[in-house]
Amino acid sequence: MYVPKESQPKQGGGAAKARDGEKGGKRKIVAQNKKARHDYAIIDTYEAGLVLMGTEVKSLREGRTSLTDGFVHIDQGEAWLHNAHIPEYHQGSWTNHSARRKRKLLLHREEIAKLESKAQETGHTIVPLAIYFKDGRAKAEIALARGKKEYDKRQTLREQQDRREADRAIAAAKRRQRGH
């Protein structure tokens, strides 16, 4: 029996979005900047589109990239991602990209103005936190951040360690309780 395409149930899309619980679909993370979360106190985060060449997208899909030294600079009302390392695509030809070129970030004008004014304050900077694919498009999660002092970093590590130890103790107590 023939069923018109319009009446056939759609596959993928809607069910995946509903499962994730977040607006806009599933995120496939390519790279994270864990060092930035350690070195900076994150104030506010933004999602920005990335302007990429074809070989950059193919290289990202292979999952080989690094944001460790990356930073965002705002120049003449445009946001640029600097020092993000996306290696050359190994099957690329003469059209291949350079690994550390600056890449344009796509943000709303109001977001760029807000980021620029906050970044000019002493001790504030804009750092990339992650690069991921969302609905097939490359996105960057960037953050307005304030640099942490050395004692702040130690305090954060101590809190994380205390939280881990408490979780272990609770889990051990639950195991003992179930065992008896």
Side-chain angles (χ1 to χ4, degrees), residues 14 51 117 119-120:
V51 177
S117 65
Q120 290 174 351

Side-chain angles (χ1 to χ4, degrees), residues 53-64 86-99 103:
M53 296 173 64
T55 55
E56 288 175 316
V57 175
K58 291 179 179 187
S59 186
L60 277 178
R61 289 201 188 280
E62 290 179 347
R64 307 175 310 139
I86 301 175
E88 289 186 353
Y89 184 56
H90 66 278
Q91 291 180 336
S93 61
W94 58 273
T95 60
N96 231 335
H97 63 280
S98 63
R103 294 162 179 95

